[in-house]
Amino acid sequence: MSVTYDDSVGVEVSSDSFWEVGNYKRTVKRIEDGHRLCSDLMNCLHERARIEKAYAQQLTEWARRWRQLVDKGPQYGTVEKAWVAVMSEAEKVSELHLEVKASLMNEDFEKIKNWQKEAFHKQMMGGFKETKEAEDGFRKAQKPWAKKLKEVEAAKKAYHTACKEEKLAISRETNSKADPSLNPEQLKKLQDKVEKSKQDVLKTKEKYEKSLKELGQGTPQYMEGMEQVFEQCQQFEEKRLRFFREVLLEVQKHLDLSNVASYKNIYRDLEQNIKAADAVEDLRWFRANHGPGMSMNWPQFEDWSADLNRTLSRREKKKTADGVTLTGINQTGDQALQSKPSSVSSYEKTQSYPTDWSDDESNNPFSSTDANGDSNPFDEDTPSGTEVRVRALYDYEGQEHDELSFKAGDELTKIEDEDEQGWCKGRLDNGQVGLYPANYVEAIQ
């Protein structure tokens, strides 16, 4: 009949030393902890990858939103380019953080996952093969010594019990001498009890000392066996520690963008774009396009023509001029080089910058009347061209107060043709009038 021996049963652990029976379990547990730590590190990198992705998305969204706001805002010239360069920096940095996310998941995460699978082998009954091998090794090395230790503990207990009995027998014998009621036969029994207890003390002491000696003789072999198994566990743990160090160094390389050449180039280019901003150049451009540097059709003497029944209004002359207006003129020479790029917002396109002293016909009803008084001083407010019904192809949300908003499929009325910037003037069915992108609608056949 085989008996399963548990070396931790019946032995009182007196200290926290590794050599105490059963205390090797901490070393065995370290193997299981190693598997869990691999999973923890993978979860750690997975969370960081999610953070990198979210940050990249936030940068991209921020750059897109502010690029639109700057493009449609009143800022102009080289300072506008410098401002937009900040959004370009965000877009490029976003790409780098997406690369960091990909490296963490595709390289570091997968590397840990594969190493964990190769280092730890799960058993059908639960646990890991490596844990069971270590447990069996320690148990085998400790079993003979633990058995002798149990014998020592039993001999020690028997010896201490004999000493207690001896002390009690001597005390009884001493007390009996002062008791006259006891007969000689009773006194003789007490004396015999003392002698027997003394012999028991000697026997148990001899056995206790003998078991201690045997335990001491087996201790070197016990220590050697335990050291051997412990060293195997140390080697296994050393592989894990070195692997973690290697992986963390790879993680550091992936996270450290300061050593990435393209990252340095991003901020070098940003600095160059910002330093290229020239206030003098921007002021010169504004003067030429919106200030005193603009061309002007100054009033000149005009002969009366029979073909005309009234004098052209100032606004009609502005429209019929060969590409020359108060808000957008064809420049030549240095003025042409200073022109603002084509990305102009509806805010800028609608600025006509009227002045208080304008003698436009809306303010001066006498400037367009002829001798017969046939002309209408309010003709200039009549929309140019024929009104056309159009249908929206895409959703559009007005960015300025003078822009229309509509959904794909909505119908509206075009009341002015497309201008040179690609904008039309229209009217919604609710009566609201404003600007909208010409390429967002199509004519209804």
Side-chain angles (χ1 to χ4, degrees):
M1 177 178 178
S2 61
V3 178
T4 302
Y5 173 74
D6 188 348
D7 52 17
S8 62
V9 176
V11 178
E12 182 180 355
V13 178
S14 59
S15 72
D16 198 41
S17 172
F18 164 78
W19 300 106
E20 294 290 347
V21 175
N23 281 1
Y24 64 81
K25 294 183 183 298
R26 293 175 300 188
T27 304
V28 175
K29 184 178 180 298
R30 186 176 62 172
I31 299 176
E32 297 179 352
D33 291 342
H35 183 274
R36 182 177 63 83
L37 288 171
C38 288
S39 299
D40 289 346
L41 184 55
M42 285 190 289
N43 290 334
C44 176
L45 296 184
H46 190 207
E47 286 187 18
R48 179 58 184 266
R50 289 204 305 266
I51 292 173
E52 294 290 335
K53 181 180 179 180
Y55 179 53
Q57 292 174 339
Q58 290 174 353
L59 282 178
T60 300
E61 178 61 24
W62 174 85
R64 182 194 64 78
R65 175 171 172 268
W66 276 99
R67 186 185 291 274
Q68 290 179 351
L69 292 174
V70 172
D71 285 345
K72 295 181 179 181
Q75 184 57 60
Y76 56 91
T78 58
V79 173
E80 180 187 12
K81 292 181 180 179
W83 194 344
V84 171
V86 176
M87 274 65 85
S88 298
E89 172 269 342
E91 292 169 343
K92 294 176 183 177
V93 171
S94 172
E95 293 177 359
L96 289 179
H97 281 280
L98 287 177
E99 292 178 5
V100 170
K101 175 258 180 185
S103 297
L104 291 175
M105 293 304 299
N106 298 336
E107 297 180 30
D108 303 331
F109 184 92
E110 289 297 323
K111 189 174 184 178
I112 300 171
K113 181 179 179 181
N114 293 333
W115 188 89
Q116 183 189 45
K117 186 176 181 180
E118 294 175 359
F120 299 91
H121 302 85
K122 292 185 177 181
Q123 298 185 119
M124 294 293 294
M125 301 300 293
F128 301 101
K129 176 184 176 183
E130 291 72 24
T131 303
K132 186 177 186 306
E133 289 177 349
E135 178 82 28
D136 293 344
F138 280 122
R139 186 184 297 273
K140 182 178 179 181
Q142 196 172 72
K143 182 176 180 180
W145 189 85
K147 185 176 181 180
K148 286 182 169 54
L149 181 62
K150 281 185 178 181
E151 295 174 357
V152 169
E153 292 294 333
K156 174 183 174 181
K157 184 177 181 180
Y159 169 65
H160 289 174
T161 301
C163 291
K164 182 179 179 181
E165 292 292 333
E166 179 188 22
K167 183 177 179 180
L168 183 60
I170 294 175
S171 176
R172 287 175 178 173
E173 181 190 17
T174 303
N175 294 332
S176 66
K177 293 179 180 179
D179 187 0
S181 62
L182 295 178
N183 55 42
E185 184 178 354
Q186 291 176 326
L187 293 176
K188 182 70 169 60
K189 287 183 179 181
L190 292 175
Q191 292 174 354
D192 292 343
K193 182 68 174 176
V194 171
E195 288 297 326
K196 184 178 183 303
S197 62
K198 288 183 178 180
Q199 294 178 0
D200 289 342
V201 168
L202 292 175
K203 291 180 181 179
T204 54
K205 181 179 181 181
E206 181 181 357
K207 187 175 181 181
Y208 180 28
E209 291 175 344
K210 181 181 178 181
S211 61
L212 272 176
K213 183 178 181 182
E214 292 177 352
L215 180 66
Q217 291 175 347
T219 298
Q221 183 178 357
Y222 162 64
M223 295 179 66
E224 181 180 356
M226 294 290 285
E227 280 275 8
Q228 184 178 358
V229 180
F230 181 80
E231 188 59 32
Q232 293 174 356
C233 295
Q234 287 286 82
Q235 292 175 2
F236 184 82
E237 177 67 4
E238 181 181 10
K239 292 179 182 179
R240 186 191 69 81
L241 295 174
R242 290 185 180 278
F243 172 73
F244 269 42
R245 180 179 182 275
E246 176 186 344
V247 169
L248 291 174
L249 282 175
E250 291 296 322
V251 171
Q252 178 266 329
K253 291 179 181 178
H254 293 148
L255 295 178
D256 187 5
L257 296 179
S258 63
N259 291 325
V260 179
S262 57
Y263 186 76
K264 297 178 181 178
N265 294 337
I266 290 174
Y267 292 98
R268 182 192 63 194
D269 295 343
L270 177 60
E271 181 182 7
Q272 291 176 352
N273 285 324
I274 294 175
K275 288 183 175 179
D278 188 340
V280 175
E281 178 66 22
D282 289 353
L283 294 174
R284 185 184 299 115
W285 176 89
F286 194 88
R287 177 184 179 86
N289 289 272
H290 299 291
M294 297 179 68
S295 298
M296 174 64 180
N297 289 326
W298 299 104
Q300 297 178 2
F301 178 81
E302 300 178 12
D303 288 329
W304 178 84
S305 173
D307 296 333
L308 297 176
N309 59 3
R310 62 186 177 87
T311 306
L312 291 175
S313 69
R314 294 285 302 282
R315 179 170 296 184
E316 288 172 327
K317 287 190 292 182
K318 180 186 70 174
K319 289 182 179 179
T320 57
D322 185 17
V324 179
T325 67
L326 287 176
T327 59
I329 59 176
N330 295 330
Q331 302 289 350
T332 60
D334 295 337
Q335 291 181 339
L337 296 176
Q338 298 166 0
S339 297
K340 180 176 174 66
S342 59
S343 58
V344 181
S345 69
S346 61
Y347 171 89
E348 183 181 3
K349 292 194 294 290
T350 58
Q351 303 305 306
S352 59
Y353 304 99
T355 58
D356 294 339
W357 51 265
S358 171
D359 59 353
D360 196 7
E361 290 183 63
S362 62
N363 296 322
N364 184 5
F366 301 99
S367 63
S368 61
T369 58
D370 59 9
N372 298 324
D374 293 332
S375 62
N376 183 356
F378 301 100
D379 281 348
E380 61 181 277
D381 293 331
T382 302
S384 62
T386 304
E387 293 185 353
V388 178
R389 292 291 288 177
V390 296
R391 181 183 294 108
L393 296 173
Y394 318 100
D395 293 348
Y396 182 74
E397 185 71 21
Q399 302 296 317
E400 301 291 343
H401 68 278
D402 59 347
E403 296 181 14
L404 298 178
S405 298
F406 45 76
K407 300 291 185 181
D410 289 352
E411 295 184 3
L412 60 150
T413 302
K414 181 180 73 172
I415 60 177
E416 283 187 14
D417 293 333
E418 178 181 355
D419 62 13
E420 65 274 13
Q421 300 295 342
W423 293 80
C424 289
K425 193 170 185 178
R427 181 177 62 249
L428 298 178
D429 291 341
N430 62 7
Q432 182 184 356
V433 176
L435 300 174
Y436 64 90
N439 59 354
Y440 269 57
V441 302
E442 65 177 357
I444 300 177
Q445 300 297 329

